[in-house]
Amino acid sequence: MVDRESIYSASFPHSNVPITPPGLEAIYSACRRLYPDQPNPLQVTALVKYWLGGPDPLDYISMYSNPGDPARQIPPHWHYISFGLSDLHGDGRVHDGAGTDGPSGFGFELSMRLKREPEESNPPTWPAALMQALARYVFSSENVLCSGDHVSWHTPLDGSESRIQHMLMTEDAQLQPITTPFGIVNFIQIVGVCGEELKAAQHWNGPGVIELLRSKPTAGGPWLVTDMRRGETIFEIDPQLQERVDQGIEQEGSNLSGVSSRCTWDEPGDADYHSTYSDEDKENNRILQRERRGSHDSDRRQISEVESEQIKSTLKKGLSSTRLNEQCEKDTAENERHQHQSRKESFDSTTSSEGPTELIRTRVLESVHLKFNLEAGSLLPLALRGRLKHGRHFTFKSVLNDVAVTLVSPSVVGSIADEEHPFAAHGTWLQVLIADDFLQEMIEDLEELAYPNEIMCPKTFSWPERRLCITILANES
């Protein structure tokens, strides 16, 4: 990553500033209550403020020295707190006003707790650069970060050789929500995690993994202090914790609604059909096909706005964060252009189609061939076991184009696919309904995908009687 420290200046706040903006003063007051002995903390300051054309949305990041709590095995650490995601000024220069009842600005500020090394007399400034990168994402995408969210970063947070390469979000351990003259501000704490812990949060849920981290002092403890020198995951510290994750997925399902991936789909032509299925399969499927053709498209129910927006929100928010770090490495102008574009594109392809959007209609497919690379295919068991089995949906969004595949259970209200017409497409967005009596069969047939290192690609799974075929390709394909 580009070294961002050169654009900051570390300085102490000056007392000769005529007026402290009300929103800024409200956060300062919360910090003073927590750190009454540190009225003038060291700050990292954006040299050119955002409203003056600067690249960094956060006006300041304050850095406090927290003594921890030895009795609870909470180590001394640096506590970083941002200023700028909420409305500091109230005059419209950055945020639109929302009043005192709603959120101030985006409704939150970031914090982070970093274990203080014995030799350190001053806090490292790299967490401030990390916060600015996250803030740029929030401003450009208009997607807020909430407790339970995860961010895939794919590189050590401090640029070292650390295993801590990703982030989970949770409420700050000490800073409670406050009400400012411009609305409510929550404090969302960044928690550095290993790849295995990120995967557990993706496959189960963020809050569940956060509680596991709280239970192990060396992995974060009660205040979730990030230790960049931590060399073991929580599952290496306590192997029984993996069982808790697996049980959580089985009992509660997964909060992962979709992923960016390499995926395609098509409706097999006659040549594909004859080469894939036996004569007996073909005859059975001809009967099914005639029955389906007896149903008119006019009888098809339309997708509900609620369900459509739910899935779109998943793609816009959850999936864009998977490539957050790659986007932050680009220059600011390109970053803003790219994020603005991706935010406006609907994954049902209506905006990118060459034809008029009103001509794109839902159509029923007789058969479907899905293709995933191995990385995406390895999530199919989770999608079936952790999502559809619990009456939910799961979406694969192509990183290469507008193609999307949503697997839905019969209980998903308003889906454009139903048990009579299990394959339905709107533009390049395909929905595949997995009937309850087919779900367990698929789970069992695809279970080997949970162990991707043992899969020889390409590998095809087919269910001729369901007119469904899935091919798993090597990742480089």
Side-chain angles (χ1 to χ4, degrees):
M1 292 181 63
V2 178
D3 182 7
R4 304 295 298 168
E5 295 185 16
S6 61
I7 70 168
Y8 302 123
S9 65
S11 61
F12 290 91
H14 300 288
S15 59
N16 58 353
V17 177
I19 298 176
T20 302
L24 183 64
E25 177 58 35
I27 302 175
Y28 276 154
S29 296
C31 294
R32 283 195 293 267
R33 289 192 293 271
L34 185 58
Y35 297 104
D37 59 334
Q38 300 178 59
N40 295 304
L42 191 67
Q43 280 190 334
V44 170
T45 305
L47 292 179
V48 181
K49 296 297 184 284
Y50 191 68
W51 66 88
L52 296 176
D56 298 313
L58 301 177
D59 285 7
Y60 313 101
I61 297 99
S62 289
M63 302 177 286
Y64 294 90
S65 176
N66 192 304
D69 187 344
R72 300 168 62 190
Q73 294 184 278
I74 300 172
H77 58 273
W78 305 110
H79 192 188
Y80 300 78
I81 301 168
S82 75
F83 300 80
L85 285 161
S86 63
D87 192 350
L88 304 180
H89 305 276
D91 56 8
R93 71 179 71 180
V94 178
H95 300 281
D96 295 331
T100 58
D101 295 334
S104 170
F106 288 106
F108 73 102
E109 293 290 351
L110 291 168
S111 73
M112 184 174 183
R113 296 173 186 270
L114 179 66
K115 184 179 179 181
R116 180 174 181 172
E117 302 300 335
E119 68 276 10
E120 288 179 338
S121 57
N122 289 307
T125 57
W126 64 261
L130 187 70
M131 286 181 167
Q132 289 285 19
L134 292 172
R136 286 195 297 274
Y137 163 74
V138 171
F139 271 77
S140 62
S141 68
E142 298 181 3
N143 292 323
V144 301
L145 295 172
C146 303
S147 178
D149 283 352
H150 59 268
V151 176
S152 306
W153 203 248
H154 298 293
T155 191
L157 303 185
D158 61 352
S160 67
E161 299 297 321
S162 174
R163 293 185 70 177
I164 309 300
Q165 301 187 9
H166 308 281
M167 292 166 273
L168 300 183
M169 304 293 163
T170 190
E171 298 90 353
D172 188 273
Q174 291 180 296
L175 286 170
Q176 300 299 312
I178 61 172
T179 299
T180 77
F182 312 127
I184 298 170
V185 179
N186 295 297
F187 295 92
I188 301 299
Q189 183 176 329
I190 300 167
V191 182
V193 296
C194 303
E196 294 84 348
E197 294 153 359
L198 172 77
K199 182 178 178 180
Q202 291 174 328
H203 287 198
W204 181 25
N205 59 66
V209 175
I210 284 290
E211 290 309 308
L212 298 185
L213 292 168
R214 288 187 197 275
S215 70
K216 301 297 175 184
T218 56
W223 290 0
L224 297 165
V225 177
T226 297
D227 180 3
M228 294 303 297
R229 296 185 181 182
R230 175 161 66 95
E232 292 182 305
T233 71
I234 53 174
F235 307 113
E236 292 167 338
I237 295 171
D238 184 353
Q240 293 184 352
L241 295 184
Q242 184 60 57
E243 296 179 11
R244 291 180 60 181
V245 173
D246 294 338
Q247 290 172 0
I249 294 173
E250 188 67 29
Q251 296 171 4
E252 306 163 20
S254 170
N255 275 9
L256 184 64
S257 303
V259 292
S260 295
S261 63
R262 291 181 180 267
C263 63
T264 61
W265 63 268
D266 58 62
E267 185 175 19
D270 288 340
D272 297 321
Y273 175 64
H274 286 291
S275 64
T276 302
Y277 302 123
S278 67
D279 291 339
E280 182 179 354
D281 292 329
K282 293 172 192 173
E283 182 58 33
N284 291 335
N285 287 325
R286 286 192 190 99
I287 297 173
L288 289 173
Q289 188 173 354
R290 285 196 296 270
E291 292 176 350
R292 287 173 177 167
R293 285 174 177 167
S295 300
H296 298 289
D297 285 350
S298 60
D299 297 330
R300 301 282 294 116
R301 55 179 174 167
Q302 298 297 311
I303 184 170
S304 71
E305 292 184 8
V306 173
E307 187 67 17
S308 177
E309 290 305 315
Q310 180 184 9
I311 300 174
K312 288 179 182 180
S313 176
T314 296
L315 291 170
K316 184 174 70 172
K317 180 175 185 295
L319 306 187
S320 58
S321 67
T322 63
R323 297 198 172 265
L324 178 56
N325 185 44
E326 297 175 16
Q327 293 166 354
C328 287
E329 291 179 350
K330 299 180 180 180
D331 61 86
T332 303
E334 175 65 14
N335 181 32
E336 292 180 353
R337 183 199 66 78
H338 174 76
Q339 291 283 5
H340 182 72
Q341 181 186 43
S342 65
R343 186 170 68 252
K344 289 186 176 294
E345 287 181 355
S346 169
F347 75 97
D348 61 10
S349 303
T350 55
T351 59
S352 59
S353 172
E354 295 180 358
T357 57
E358 63 269 19
L359 297 182
I360 297 180
R361 297 180 179 178
T362 298
R363 61 191 181 96
V364 174
L365 284 67
E366 298 298 338
S367 58
V368 164
H369 187 182
L370 306 178
K371 298 178 183 178
F372 302 96
N373 71 339
L374 183 58
E375 183 179 8
S378 67
L379 291 175
L380 282 168
L382 171 74
L384 299 173
R385 183 167 57 94
R387 296 291 298 178
L388 272 69
K389 190 175 180 180
H390 294 267
R392 303 169 188 171
H393 57 76
F394 191 92
T395 298
F396 295 89
K397 171 68 175 70
S398 174
V399 297
L400 302 177
N401 48 42
D402 290 336
V403 170
V405 177
T406 298
L407 306 179
V408 297
S409 72
S411 59
V412 173
V413 178
S415 63
I416 59 176
D418 57 33
E419 294 194 62
E420 247 187 279
H421 311 86
F423 313 124
H426 187 75
T428 54
W429 172 28
L430 172 71
Q431 288 193 20
V432 177
L433 184 137
I434 308 298
D436 290 336
D437 62 347
F438 181 33
L439 179 59
Q440 189 57 41
E441 179 184 350
M442 281 193 74
I443 290 175
E444 293 172 1
D445 290 346
L446 297 178
E447 187 60 33
E448 61 184 287
L449 291 176
Y451 309 95
N453 293 335
E454 302 175 9
I455 300 294
M456 294 294 292
C457 295
K459 184 175 180 65
T460 297
F461 302 86
S462 63
W463 299 270
E465 70 284 1
R466 303 284 181 171
R467 299 188 67 87
L468 175 64
C469 182
I470 298 177
T471 295
I472 307 299
L473 304 170
N475 286 328
E476 58 268 21
S477 299

